[in-house]
Amino acid sequence: MSCAEHAIQFACGGERLQGILTRPEHPCQLGVVVIVGGPQYRVGSHRQFVLLARALARVGYAVLRFDYRGMGDSSGAPVDFLNADADIAAAIDALMTHAPDVKRVALWGLCDAAAAALLFCHTHNDPRVAGLCLLNPWVRSDASLARTQVKHYYTQRLMERAFWAKLLSGKVAAGALTGLLRSVGLALKGASPTASMQAPFQTRMAQAWRAFRGSLLLILSAEDYTAKEFLEYARADPAWSGALTQPNLRRHDLADADHTFSAAASSLAVEALTLAWLAELKTPTIS
């Protein structure tokens, strides 16, 4: 199917957001908003979001990828994932305005963009959001990072003969041992109490995840510490209890994939999984 790309601008909080709409000639009623995570803009690492948007549009999905306020070509002070609700809402409105055939949307986000998608759903009960595609969700805290390091890095190091040889010969720096002890202490201590009355963002993510009645697609990279940290957090924190076994969840773990799925095979796998999930989401189930 032929498709075209259009630069569009739309308003948010008195600022102008820049987006690229990849629109097929005849869009279906399900569209996709690609949320951009981290200090980057709408192209994505190794042009990931460009390639994804074009692949989805070729089979009929209108896709909008955009810059938060203060990021890329959008005006205003920089906005992070904790404060992107208004930006995401404005992007959904813009997609439906410029592609009026679209009646429902899927939000697609990697890393802290996945967190932003869940936080948006926590504060907005938007019936237009039919699905969430979440890749290596960001749940970073000092305690969760420490648990991940102890389990997946230090435990492996302690089992290596070379590590003990260096330790006994004095070639392991004192800083490395200090880092190990600090990580163990943080892992055992757990998360620090928040000074704010608001629940931690990880808890709000879990609440949104559990309350969401649409379709959830979770894609995790086997070689990514952010993904490992998410799994550790979801297994250890009571707010996430049962979240990974919900009936509306589809989960895929990609072997050898790094955080941004930079290898061609990993990128194509993400594309294929997204397309298969969207095909199921395209026709709402009648209960």
Side-chain angles (χ1 to χ4, degrees):
M1 182 182 298
S2 62
C3 59
E5 290 182 324
H6 307 277
I8 64 172
Q9 288 189 342
F10 50 98
C12 177
E15 304 296 341
R16 301 297 297 175
L17 272 59
Q18 182 70 43
I20 300 295
L21 174 65
T22 308
R23 188 179 185 280
E25 186 177 2
H26 301 291
C28 66
Q29 293 189 354
L30 178 65
V32 180
V33 172
V34 175
I35 304 170
V36 177
Q40 61 176 319
Y41 77 126
R42 60 192 178 272
V43 170
S45 303
H46 45 85
R47 296 179 62 78
Q48 179 185 35
F49 304 151
V50 176
L51 299 175
L52 176 69
R54 291 173 179 173
L56 300 186
R58 282 195 292 268
V59 295
Y61 303 103
V63 183
L64 176 63
R65 46 191 174 86
F66 71 103
D67 299 331
Y68 289 162
R69 284 168 289 175
M71 298 292 185
D73 295 313
S74 295
S75 66
V79 168
D80 64 12
F81 76 100
L82 294 170
N83 301 286
D85 285 2
D87 305 70
I88 296 171
I92 295 172
D93 291 341
L95 173 60
M96 292 189 164
T97 297
H98 290 272
D101 291 324
V102 173
K103 307 302 180 187
R104 303 156 62 240
V105 299
L107 302 181
W108 192 102
L110 166 65
C111 191
D112 65 22
L118 285 167
L119 293 174
F120 171 80
C121 291
H122 183 263
T123 56
H124 292 68
N125 184 21
D126 193 330
R128 299 174 298 178
V129 179
L132 302 175
C133 180
L134 311 172
L135 301 88
N136 300 331
W138 177 264
V139 291
R140 175 65 49 83
S141 70
D142 289 342
S144 66
L145 177 60
R147 286 195 298 267
T148 303
Q149 288 176 329
V150 168
K151 181 174 181 178
H152 296 282
Y153 176 72
Y154 288 116
T155 300
Q156 178 180 343
R157 290 284 285 137
L158 291 172
M159 295 177 67
E160 294 174 356
R161 183 186 299 271
F163 172 83
W164 290 102
K166 288 182 179 179
L167 177 64
L168 295 174
S169 66
K171 293 181 179 180
V172 170
L177 293 177
T178 301
L180 169 59
L181 294 174
R182 179 178 181 276
S183 293
V184 170
L186 284 171
L188 293 174
K189 181 180 178 182
S192 301
T194 178
S196 169
M197 294 297 292
Q198 188 177 42
F201 80 87
Q202 300 95 333
T203 300
R204 288 181 278 138
M205 287 171 61
Q207 291 169 346
W209 180 299
R210 295 166 68 90
F212 189 66
R213 294 296 174 261
S215 179
L216 292 165
L217 175 63
L218 175 64
I219 302 177
L220 298 173
S221 300
E223 300 301 322
D224 176 46
Y225 274 95
T226 299
K228 296 179 191 297
E229 189 174 352
F230 169 75
L231 289 175
E232 292 297 325
Y233 203 105
R235 290 165 181 159
D237 191 277
W240 287 89
S241 178
L244 296 181
T245 58
Q246 289 183 189
N248 62 333
L249 172 66
R250 300 288 184 273
R251 172 181 165 181
H252 297 276
D253 297 64
L254 296 184
D256 302 322
D258 60 18
H259 182 63
T260 59
F261 307 91
S262 60
S266 298
S267 181
L268 289 172
V270 167
E271 180 183 303
L273 290 171
T274 302
L275 283 167
W277 173 69
L278 288 173
E280 293 182 2
L281 191 60
K282 188 174 179 181
T283 303
T285 302
I286 299 175
S287 58

